[in-house]
Amino acid sequence: MAEAVAFYICAALILGFGALVITAKSTVHSVLYLVADFLCVAALYVMLQAPFLAVIQVMVYAGGIVVLYLFVVMLVNLKRPPEAHSDPRRLGRLGVAMAAAVLVEFAAIFALGWAKPASAGGALSPNNVEQIGRALYTDYLIPFEVASVLLLVAMIGAIVLAKREL
Amino acid sequence: MVNAWVPILIFIAVGIAFGVVTLLFARLIVPQRYGRVKLEPYECGIEPTTDARDRYSIKYFLVAMLFLIFDVETIFLYPWAVIVDELAWFGFIEMVVFLFILVVGYFYAWREGALEWA
Amino acid sequence: MVEALILPLVKIVIVLVAVLVTVMYIVLLERKVQAWVQVRLGPMRVGPHGILQPLADVLKLFVKEDITPARADKWVFTAAPIIVLVPALIAFAVIPFAGDLTLFGLTIPGRIADVNVGLLYVISVAGIGIYGIILGGWSSNSKWALLGSLRSSAQLISYEIAVTMTLVTVIMLAGTLSMVGIVQAQLAKGWWFGFMQPVAFFIYFVGALAETNRAPFDLPEAEQELVAGFHTEYSGMRFAFYFLAEYANMIVVSTVATTLFLGGWLAPFPNVSWLSFLGLVPGWAWFMLKTFGFLYAFLWVRATFPRYRYDQLMRLGWKWLIPLAILNVVVTGLLKVLV
Amino acid sequence: MIITTTHYMLLSAALFTLGIIGVMTRRNVIIILMSIELMLNAVNINFIAFSHQLQNVVGQVFAVFVIVVAAAEAAVGLGIILAFYRNKETVNIDEMGLMRW
């Protein structure tokens, strides 16, 4: 019961803040709602027994990625609003198609039945960090090293893009 | 397991409530005498002429970007640190390779002057 | 019900009140310490030796006029102080202030929560506080505030990397991320991690000074160049929140240092039998003693060192502390696999 | 009132839709990138819900990788936006036809 209440509150907050992100007039307000959204997602992860993911969601997403967004929003000081001359119907057809696809997805989720809740006493131990570490550094060794190359490339790319201004 | 987080949730609620209630309470008792000049931003007595939200150095973007990359790197270090005894040499070499690749990027940033502020 | 909700609530209120009172008196102590270093007396008027000065300060802040500048973004301007204060407070949730206490036949754990990612929780929560600083400066729409907030946030994130990376070595020794587990690991090893990882302790101390915007790294509010930094436009209670958050953060980093490097609630050398009489002093008293020692170091440093220049500050963080932290991780890992 | 994985899937699908709507309707490229972050989060919710359902940690490991990719994407994407803004003084995606041929 408590779990259901917590889930519905979390879900409402996530979707509410998500809607605010894409509708807010000021970009800075959008960024703020995005942070709130990510914090609520972190709360959801805690409920799903993924505390390590919850903290890195806060640390990397809320505390890193969105800080970068905020810095860029502040750097990009706009003389005129970017939405001034846009044609809302421009991508209308594509939007309808996308929405239809999502509706099909919803229908599929409903049609294919409701999954059972997780069985208690499964293999997911409460000591989540060790388990993730074991999987990450043995089975997923190659993706892990590739991730570092990806980060290296991202770092070099961003520096090259900004370098001319240094 | 999840129950261990309930006190934290309560703490967050209490913290926000403390902030909001204190501000509202202060709002009730403080004097409010507004004047146009009083509400101007402070610029050492000179009347502000331009908007404060102007363009500023791209250095701040670079610092935030480097922070983000290193932040992601440290989240890989923590699970490794927890089971470092178990992984032994294998894990150590893995992590040295990982750190080496990022240190290359670090020295690139250094060489390109992304770390200079003079 | 009592176990799950009432007990944590009581502890939260106790911690909250303790933090507020400590902040009030740390401010007084700071003024006193600085005065003593300069052979002055410090506040003497309000109460004997000025011990009622904090109350007068709080009263003053409460009745000061609270101004929202005309060009400010009103909602963000009000939200920013709360955003900066709440993380500073909730970081205390995982700090183990004491071992288990027994009261009226009830075993009460000496902390609010023990989650198995405790250390990362503290780090990530501290990261959220940055928003309060950036948004406070941005929403004021004042040049001093905006520049101060940019500098302050750049400084915070720079030193946060060095600190998070250096704390990895502590985790390598402890083998757990739980704050309680880290203290127990120090009991098992017989040494405080401050002795086993002096380099990490040093980096943490420097980083802690910088992350709390304390002298000699208090550039964001260097009066000579930036007026008051990101809170230039703040007054009254909202200013008080920034002030409170800064000192609460100081206490957070001190309690974290106590837990990670100084053995938490443990008595010194708990495994040396002829020193066992030290165990007669309760754990929470040791914890407070160590925390105050660390806080005192903050005040002492402020009274002693001149302020850094901004480029010197960034150079120290990026070109010295971060490589040192990475090197420390590698060396500790090497020692771990060799021994 | 039992919360099943289906609930999480529906939430994730709804959040993903919000992301799509954001990408489709907004012209500010920073907001479009933020909508993409919303979509990545929806994906992560799915990963972790299934990790919980199957009691298997692999879903969480993949969520970690998604976060890494999101970080790299934000760094490079925002770098491109800044470079573009410095040339053209705009962040409107309709005016970003530089690479279109």
Side-chain angles (χ1 to χ4, degrees):
Chain A
M1 187 60 209
E3 194 203 353
V5 173
F7 172 78
Y8 283 114
I9 293 175
C10 255
L13 286 174
I14 288 171
L15 295 179
F17 282 124
L20 285 170
V21 168
I22 59 171
T23 52
K25 285 230 162 46
S26 152
T27 322
V28 172
H29 290 180
S30 260
V31 174
L32 254 180
Y33 295 133
L34 193 66
V35 180
D37 200 67
F38 287 167
L39 295 182
C40 297
V41 172
L44 205 67
Y45 292 170
V46 170
M47 282 162 50
L48 284 168
Q49 290 183 12
F52 181 68
L53 258 295
V55 287
I56 67 169
Q57 167 89 7
V58 177
M59 202 170 139
V60 175
Y61 251 122
I65 295 179
V66 188
V67 168
L68 193 62
Y69 274 95
L70 195 52
F71 270 65
V72 170
V73 169
M74 287 163 72
L75 261 170
V76 174
N77 177 261
L78 294 166
K79 302 281 179 294
R80 67 201 158 99
E83 318 272 25
H85 47 114
S86 65
D87 177 9
R89 286 183 307 162
R90 209 182 61 116
L91 290 169
R93 213 169 287 165
L94 193 52
V96 169
M98 290 283 220
V102 171
L103 270 183
V104 169
E105 189 188 350
F106 269 116
I109 292 173
F110 275 112
L112 295 179
W114 294 71
K116 291 189 196 75
S119 53
L124 212 55
S125 85
N127 220 340
N128 188 254
V129 188
E130 292 178 15
Q131 246 184 344
I132 289 181
R134 244 169 248 135
L136 196 58
Y137 301 114
T138 52
D139 299 345
Y140 294 91
L141 169 63
I142 302 296
F144 161 68
E145 298 292 353
V146 171
S148 80
V149 177
L150 177 70
L151 290 175
L152 172 70
V153 172
M155 194 193 308
I156 292 176
I159 291 172
V160 167
L161 284 166
K163 194 174 73 175
R164 215 160 31 84
E165 316 287 335
L166 282 179
Chain B
M1 228 309 282
V2 175
N3 285 340
W5 292 79
V6 173
I8 292 180
L9 188 70
I10 300 174
F11 206 159
I12 294 172
V14 170
I16 294 174
F18 169 76
V20 173
V21 169
T22 313
L23 278 190
L24 286 177
F25 179 67
R27 178 127 217 173
L28 290 178
I29 59 171
V30 298
Q32 283 174 324
R33 281 182 287 276
Y34 288 139
R36 201 180 56 79
V37 177
K38 195 195 261 177
L39 296 181
E40 286 289 312
Y42 176 75
E43 284 196 10
C44 311
I46 314 226
E47 280 181 34
T49 49
T50 54
D51 193 76
R53 292 166 193 158
D54 208 345
R55 288 166 73 157
Y56 52 87
S57 173
I58 196 161
K59 275 284 160 51
Y60 294 104
F61 166 75
L62 278 179
V63 164
M65 186 274 296
L66 289 172
F67 163 70
L68 175 58
I69 302 288
F70 278 97
D71 214 24
V72 176
E73 180 184 357
T74 42
I75 65 159
F76 280 114
L77 284 173
Y78 276 91
W80 169 72
V82 172
I83 51 168
V84 63
D85 287 332
E86 193 182 309
L87 292 169
W89 273 108
F90 179 63
F92 177 70
I93 291 166
E94 237 180 310
M95 194 45 75
V96 167
V97 171
F98 178 78
L99 284 175
F100 175 77
I101 294 173
L102 277 146
V103 166
V104 170
Y106 172 77
F107 280 111
Y108 177 78
W110 189 325
R111 216 197 61 196
E112 293 294 329
L115 309 178
E116 306 293 334
W117 282 81
Chain C
M1 189 67 186
V2 174
E3 286 282 315
L5 295 174
I6 309 295
L7 198 60
L9 198 61
V10 171
K11 281 193 273 192
I12 287 165
V13 171
I14 291 173
V15 168
L16 214 54
V17 171
V19 168
L20 294 180
V21 171
T22 314
V23 167
M24 280 160 65
Y25 277 91
I26 280 292
V27 177
L28 178 67
L29 186 68
E30 175 164 30
R31 293 170 73 177
K32 282 287 188 187
V33 166
Q34 274 185 292
W36 293 331
V37 169
Q38 297 160 357
V39 207
R40 289 186 288 117
L41 285 174
M44 291 295 280
R45 299 280 173 149
V46 192
H49 287 266
I51 54 165
L52 296 180
Q53 182 71 39
L55 293 176
D57 287 343
V58 169
L59 194 65
K60 183 191 75 179
L61 282 169
F62 243 111
V63 296
K64 277 235 172 184
E65 183 174 356
D66 198 351
I67 296 171
T68 309
R71 303 180 187 198
D73 186 322
K74 294 206 168 42
W75 280 106
V76 181
F77 193 75
T78 307
I82 298 178
I83 296 174
V84 89
L85 179 64
V86 172
L89 294 178
I90 64 171
F92 286 107
V94 295
I95 306 285
F97 295 100
D100 289 345
L101 310 166
T102 313
L103 207 65
F104 310 122
L106 207 68
T107 307
I108 301 170
R111 69 231 163 220
I112 292 167
D114 178 27
V115 295
N116 54 25
V117 288
L119 182 60
L120 281 175
Y121 167 83
V122 175
I123 294 169
S124 55
V125 160
I128 296 298
I130 291 174
Y131 287 103
I133 289 171
I134 308 181
L135 292 170
W138 178 84
S139 64
S140 325
N141 207 351
S142 154
K143 282 152 197 141
W144 301 120
L146 190 61
L147 279 175
S149 74
L150 282 170
R151 277 193 180 189
S152 189
S153 45
Q155 169 180 340
L156 284 182
I157 58 183
S158 302
Y159 280 81
E160 199 172 312
I161 299 170
V163 167
T164 40
M165 213 170 265
T166 203
L167 293 184
V168 170
T169 55
V170 173
I171 301 306
M172 284 159 79
L173 295 180
T176 172
L177 284 168
S178 148
M179 298 296 256
V180 179
I182 290 169
V183 175
Q184 278 159 353
Q186 292 179 74
L187 181 63
K189 295 240 177 346
W191 286 94
W192 293 351
F193 289 155
F195 294 116
M196 297 174 80
Q197 280 293 345
V199 180
F201 192 25
F202 169 74
I203 297 175
Y204 180 82
F205 182 65
V206 177
L209 285 173
E211 286 220 57
T212 48
N213 287 337
R214 296 288 303 177
F217 305 112
D218 55 345
L219 278 132
E221 32 201 308
E223 292 88 353
Q224 295 88 340
E225 36 183 320
L226 280 175
V227 190
F230 55 86
H231 51 57
T232 302
E233 298 291 339
Y234 279 92
S235 56
M237 211 56 215
R238 284 180 282 191
F239 168 74
F241 274 15
Y242 274 113
F243 199 70
L244 184 56
E246 183 181 326
Y247 282 86
N249 270 325
M250 239 168 92
I251 302 173
V252 170
V253 295
S254 303
T255 52
V256 171
T258 304
T259 310
L260 298 187
F261 294 107
L262 301 177
W265 70 82
L266 303 174
F269 304 105
N271 296 351
V272 179
S273 56
W274 60 270
L275 280 173
S276 61
F277 66 91
L278 291 171
L280 293 175
V281 180
W284 56 266
W286 280 118
F287 188 90
M288 280 169 73
L289 197 67
K290 293 168 187 172
T291 307
F292 272 99
F294 205 81
L295 282 169
Y296 184 79
F298 270 71
L299 309 182
W300 190 8
V301 164
R302 168 159 183 196
T304 309
F305 284 94
R307 183 182 290 139
Y308 271 66
R309 222 171 47 219
Y310 196 66
D311 61 314
Q312 292 172 327
L313 167 101
M314 294 307 254
R315 187 163 66 222
L316 178 68
W318 283 102
K319 297 192 174 174
W320 289 99
L321 292 188
I322 290 176
L324 195 59
I326 295 178
L327 202 63
N328 195 22
V329 169
V330 173
V331 169
T332 310
L334 196 60
L335 288 177
K336 268 283 192 191
V337 292
L338 280 178
V339 180
Chain D
M1 290 295 275
I2 298 167
I3 300 301
T4 60
T5 308
T6 314
H7 288 85
Y8 287 99
M9 281 166 73
L10 287 173
L11 170 64
S12 157
L15 189 62
F16 196 84
T17 317
L18 276 178
I20 291 177
I21 295 171
V23 172
M24 288 295 145
T25 57
R26 296 304 295 260
R27 301 268 65 82
N28 183 338
V29 72
I30 299 175
I31 304 228
I32 290 178
L33 273 185
M34 279 167 24
S35 306
I36 293 174
E37 301 291 352
L38 283 184
M39 286 150 79
L40 287 174
N41 260 274
V43 171
N44 268 356
I45 290 174
N46 246 351
F47 267 131
I48 291 173
F50 276 106
S51 157
H52 185 63
Q53 157 87 18
L54 304 172
Q55 292 287 303
N56 189 334
V57 81
V58 174
Q60 299 186 21
V61 174
F62 265 83
V64 173
F65 286 124
V66 171
I67 291 179
V68 174
V69 173
E73 173 239 316
V76 177
L78 292 172
I80 292 172
I81 292 175
L82 272 186
F84 197 88
Y85 173 75
R86 275 165 189 263
N87 286 327
K88 303 261 170 167
E89 290 264 323
T90 179
V91 289
N92 187 328
I93 198 157
D94 287 337
E95 294 170 18
M96 292 188 170
L98 203 66
M99 301 279 276
R100 200 154 61 195
W101 201 227

